[in-house]
Amino acid sequence: MTDEARPIDAADEVAGDAALAAADPNEDGEPGAVDRLYRGLLPENPVHRQLLGMCPTLAVTATVASALTLGLATVAVLVASSLAVSLLRRWIADHVRILVYTVVIASLVTLVDRGIAATLPDLHRALGPYVPLIIVNCVIIGRAEACARRSTPVVALADALGQGGGFLLGLASLAIVRELLATRSVLGWRVLPDAFEPWVIMALPPGAFFTLGLLIAAGNAWRDRGEPESATGTREGAPVSGKIEV
Amino acid sequence: MTAPPEVARGSRLGGAGLVVLLALVLGGVLGAADALFAPRIEEQRRARLRRVALDVVPGGGALEEVTVGGAVVLRITAGPQPGEGALVGWAVPGEAPGFADVVRILVGLDPEARTITGLAVLDARETPGLGDRIREAEFCDRFAEHPIAGPIEIDAISGATVSSEAVQSAVEADVARVAAAIRRLEPGSASGEAPR
């Protein structure tokens, strides 16, 4: 934003900066495109590290096909909205920025929703309301606020691909586990033998919570591997790589 | 709200102008996209209905939409063109509240609208692994050869009683009512009713 505009929404701006500082520990050295891309995929994975977009994460990961469809739709919207916000960033006044994000994101989601309905009707039916609900996915508005509105289009694109790819990976990781255990198949391909009794609960909402919890625990264990455990039982010096630790 | 004097009023209006401009431009884009997608979406819906209808009425070749007793049903003939050839059967939609949401089905009937030839679930959001099993052929086939008039006696899926009964009551209510309307039609008018 232009410096002249700052005094208007000083309070707003401070709140925004505070949120940003919390969200982006590395703000001093503005991360470059490659760094943004990598961060979103693993260290700041929206599903496993930031715990954002939990509603679709839990709801559409019963099968890999629906998870991939929703993940790709989210990537498409995120890339387009980040690019749009980045290109418009010099003209977006601070006090209307949320409105601008909402108009842009809602329009893009409607386009993607109609597009999927016209081309993949069966998957569209299976996804139910979750494609239109991409509008309220906080990953998308979060990236507009945390990155795109203050970055060049190249960095914004890399950030959107990283975070979107991370979201897609996160959804796929849950869906592979759930579909495999609930139906013995992945993407309809039979993997486990008849002797394996399907765990129906993995296709139900509790299965989504179990899988998410276990995968996050596994991710934390991997992150903290080799870290000495302190006397209090907490791990000292564990890197706080997640953007928003919950 | 008191804005510092050095800030021009215009900057606020400028911000609002961008929102209005975006809304107009994106609204236009959405309108154009809808004009492009809506016919395809409708086409897909019809194609699926045809596929399912020819599945629940074996031996059908062509179908046309007719209105009987206030409901749109599919009149299925041997074909090759809609309305041509011998009458093979009818495909009648029905719906009833299930466990999670409304269950929509399509039921195939013989030419006299007395016996069920097949049943398929068009739309259901029942519990995966339990109620969702009403989609499986193993359950749908239990309705085949059943007379449409009178109570439908079908074994429910264990663990999915509510969903099973939804399908059953959709047949007993919606489909049986339309079947009765079809039977009341004169044989001539049943075959001659104008396609919609």
Side-chain angles (χ1 to χ4, degrees), chain A:
Chain A
M1 268 303 90
T2 57
D3 286 329
E4 308 88 81
R6 278 183 184 266
I8 302 178
D9 291 301
D12 225 6
E13 192 63 28
V14 169
D17 279 345
L20 193 80
D24 214 340
N26 209 8
E27 191 50 39
D28 308 341
E30 190 69 41
V34 176
D35 189 29
R36 286 279 191 194
L37 180 68
Y38 168 70
R39 280 195 196 192
L41 287 175
L42 291 175
E44 294 174 5
N45 185 290
V47 172
H48 292 298
R49 311 279 348 139
Q50 299 183 61
L51 301 185
L52 291 179
M54 290 292 101
C55 177
T57 299
L58 295 168
V60 304
T61 53
T63 64
V64 177
S66 58
L68 290 182
T69 312
L70 194 89
L72 289 173
T74 308
V75 172
V77 172
L78 181 55
V79 165
S81 83
S82 284
L83 274 180
V85 169
S86 175
L87 288 170
L88 292 170
R89 69 190 187 281
R90 294 191 197 293
W91 296 282
I92 300 176
D94 274 6
H95 57 287
V96 294
R97 64 185 194 280
I98 304 291
L99 258 179
V100 172
Y101 305 157
T102 313
V103 169
V104 169
I105 294 169
S107 306
L108 291 169
V109 169
T110 309
L111 274 181
V112 168
D113 177 54
R114 295 291 85 194
I116 295 178
T119 49
L120 302 166
D122 292 330
L123 268 172
H124 189 263
R125 222 179 354 268
L127 286 170
Y130 290 99
V131 178
L133 280 177
I134 293 174
I135 292 173
V136 292
N137 188 320
C138 44
V139 175
I140 295 170
I141 204 162
R143 294 331 291 173
E145 180 73 5
C147 177
R149 77 172 175 128
R150 55 186 65 208
S151 304
T152 61
V154 174
V155 174
L157 176 65
D159 181 70
L161 286 173
Q163 298 279 338
F167 188 68
L168 181 65
L169 277 181
L171 291 191
S173 64
L174 260 82
I176 288 172
V177 174
R178 293 182 64 195
E179 188 177 341
L180 181 67
L181 295 179
T183 68
R184 299 182 285 214
S185 316
V186 171
L187 269 177
W189 288 73
R190 187 63 177 270
V191 177
L192 293 175
D194 278 341
F196 182 85
E197 181 64 27
W199 301 6
V200 170
I201 194 157
M202 296 308 278
L204 303 178
F209 284 97
F210 295 153
T211 311
L212 180 64
L214 290 172
L215 287 178
I216 290 174
N220 285 344
W222 172 257
R223 185 194 65 186
D224 297 344
R225 69 194 182 281
E227 294 286 338
E229 199 159 337
S230 74
T232 56
T234 59
R235 294 186 185 274
E236 266 177 48
V240 184
S241 56
K243 296 206 73 166
I244 299 165
E245 294 284 330
V246 177

